[in-house]
Amino acid sequence: MESEWPRESLVAAAQGGDADAIAALVSGSHPHVQRFARSLCASPEDAEDSAQEALIILYRKIGTLRATGALASWMFRIVRNECLRRAKRALRGDDLAASGAMVSAEDDALERLEARRVAAAIAGLPADQRRVLIMRDIQGYPGRAVADALGLSPAAMKSRLHRARATVRAFLTDPDVC
């Protein structure tokens, strides 16, 4: 049976600065945060790093949570943002390593704008397509490795990758989407 999120009374005590409540809140949230990260991030390593970062943010900023009943949605947003940040960094790192030339400020601004649009398009994908796309196209894993890591047949992996690429392409070519 799946465990529940920590009670609102525990969240309220943690918001008030009770050190024991904060520790209990972080440990009680850990399995849920890990599950979020595994469903959102492209690799197990990114998922683990994102979960840890989210728990650190929870520990440091629990006092900023406005509604005690909003813990799950708050943590989901933190994990999602961490996974996206890691995917963007991987994308940027590949681009920066490939180009040895100096980049103008205008080109840099355009690249960042385009990276945001790409990241938004990827973030809008269903989780199964997003994982395949990130692992295959951003992280560069071979198709067989992606299929094996996600427990898919090679044909299912290729199908999800094709749908993900088509969806991202449509998002990027639609002039109404900014």
Side-chain angles (χ1 to χ4, degrees):
M1 183 175 197
E2 190 171 319
S3 64
E4 296 291 322
W5 278 91
R7 295 179 322 276
E8 287 187 39
S9 58
L10 182 64
V11 175
Q15 286 177 304
D18 181 341
D20 291 334
I22 293 171
L25 182 63
V26 169
S27 64
S29 300
H30 187 252
H32 305 288
V33 169
Q34 279 189 316
R35 188 175 58 253
F36 282 159
R38 283 192 304 265
S39 71
L40 295 171
C41 292
S43 72
E45 294 81 15
D46 282 349
E48 184 60 34
D49 290 346
S50 294
Q52 290 300 320
E53 187 63 30
L55 291 171
I56 290 169
I57 291 170
L58 171 63
Y59 177 80
R60 290 182 180 162
K61 297 189 176 187
I62 186 60
T64 65
L65 179 63
R66 292 185 186 147
T68 57
L71 179 66
S73 62
W74 187 55
M75 293 308 298
F76 181 81
R77 280 193 317 274
I78 292 170
V79 171
R80 184 196 66 205
N81 290 342
E82 275 303 307
C83 290
L84 284 173
R85 187 179 66 77
R86 290 176 187 287
K88 286 180 196 176
R89 189 176 63 198
L91 183 62
R92 246 193 338 262
D94 291 342
D95 288 344
L96 293 176
S99 77
M102 293 289 288
V103 178
S104 72
E106 180 181 306
D107 288 341
D108 183 49
L110 289 173
E111 283 178 22
R112 280 186 280 148
L113 178 61
E114 188 62 22
R116 278 193 208 115
R117 289 190 72 226
V118 170
I122 292 171
L125 291 171
D128 59 335
Q129 291 179 21
R130 182 175 53 249
R131 282 191 292 266
V132 169
L133 181 82
I134 290 172
M135 290 180 77
R136 184 75 176 99
D137 290 350
I138 295 174
Q139 294 177 326
Y141 289 111
R144 172 57 89 177
V146 173
D148 291 344
L150 298 176
L152 300 170
S153 69
M157 187 281 304
K158 287 178 184 178
S159 175
R160 288 181 187 180
L161 181 61
H162 175 74
R163 284 193 307 267
R165 286 174 176 167
T167 302
V168 169
R169 188 177 307 113
F171 181 90
L172 295 175
T173 57
D174 183 355
D176 296 327
V177 177
C178 293

